Amino acid sequence: MIFGLTISAVFAMQLIAQEKREGLLGLLRMTGLRESTYWLSWMLCFAVAYMLSGFVTAIVGGATSVEVFNMCNLGVHMLAAFFYSTASCAFILMGAAAVKEPWAVQGVQFVVVLFNVLFQSFVSQSWLRNSTSPMDFWTASSMRSPDVSIASKIAIFFFPAFHYGKIIQNIYDVTGVEGGRSTMHGLDPRLAKEPVRHYNWSNVHQPVGWQFGDEYLNEMIGFEACFENTPAYDYGCRGIVKACTNATYTLPECPAGVFCNTESECDWIDFRGIRVGSWYGDPVSDSFWFLILDTLIFLLAAWYLAQVFSAGTGSAKPFYFPFLPSYWTGIASVGIDETEGRAAQEKEFSLQDGSTRLLKLSKSYAQTTALKE
């Protein structure tokens, strides 16, 4: 599925690059086109197509026997496909802003598709699964995991394929696939006891953690926070069990440096009675927001790169152009060799004649200056 959605996104690069090669973008700029209008208009066109594509994906998937689709609300899958496609498209537009030659375009398209497909296939391999909870790669590497470095989280944030895979994994944890639990989740007796359920909108905002048996479906606890330099880690995190505050028992204090659950009366303790702590994985709603933010950031980058790497259209700007007042006001600064009298005189003639007058006009293509006063 990731292959089809990525292919539809990378197609956008071909269209933008073709317009750049034909000089259409440069012509539009000379007629006064705002750069933001150009990129937003393309993004809106693609977004409509991706909304339809997401709808078809959800309908077709729901008609199959795969429970990760037919046991999930169709709207969740539709939004997941839509947000992933738009984020991937915005990333591709960022690349299209910087390149236009056919070989470069095809190279970027190939690398993006290949990397996304190989990534999805690679992280699904059984030898990559964790031996302790959370067993799946997606949750163990999620943005909320306290065991993932800041640098890794930044890389993950700007990777739409990860967020889409995380959404599918969250759904998979609840619904299973084709008749029950996956082998991976069947290995953990706590999750294996949980029946296959329908994934609906109420689950979208729920963080990912352990839920215990039929009688505890409304009782959730996070994953064990058993990391280096914690008291439990020093003893190998042995004998970890769930404990809940009740009439006869109170959870011990949270040790220094430990991530302890504060949203539940339950937490993990080890064989010595020391509190291990717990954390929750990202809910689907977080992944939706990450994809939306990725889309906006990639579009902003496309807007910037298109104006810096636009040699050949006569409108290349310096890399610091966003900090130039003249870019935002449209009023160019007058050089020291330009007398105020000449500029004022031309302006007066323009007002009297109702005409447009050009002062200090130049036109360049790449390294060649075609016209200069």
Side-chain angles (χ1 to χ4, degrees), residues 22 88 114 155 215 243 253 259 264 266 298 323 332 346 358:
E22 294 177 351
S88 297
L114 182 65
E215 61 194 294
E253 293 294 324
F259 300 91
S264 171
C266 302
F298 293 152
F323 302 101
E346 294 295 337
L358 301 178

Side-chain angles (χ1 to χ4, degrees), residues 62-130:
T64 67
S65 60
V66 180
E67 290 177 349
V68 73
F69 282 106
N70 63 41
M71 292 291 288
C72 177
N73 187 287
L74 295 182
V76 177
H77 274 296
M78 184 181 75
L79 284 182
F82 170 71
F83 287 141
Y84 169 71
S85 297
T86 52
S88 297
C89 178
F91 179 81
I92 287 297
L93 293 183
M94 183 176 63
V99 301
K100 67 176 181 179
E101 298 302 327
W103 64 268
V105 171
Q106 293 168 8
V108 173
Q109 290 176 317
F110 176 77
V111 169
V112 170
V113 173
L114 182 65
F115 184 80
N116 282 357
V117 172
L118 289 180
F119 173 78
Q120 292 283 339
S121 302
F122 178 77
V123 299
S124 300
Q125 300 300 312
S126 58
W127 58 269
L128 192 62
R129 297 167 186 163
N130 298 330

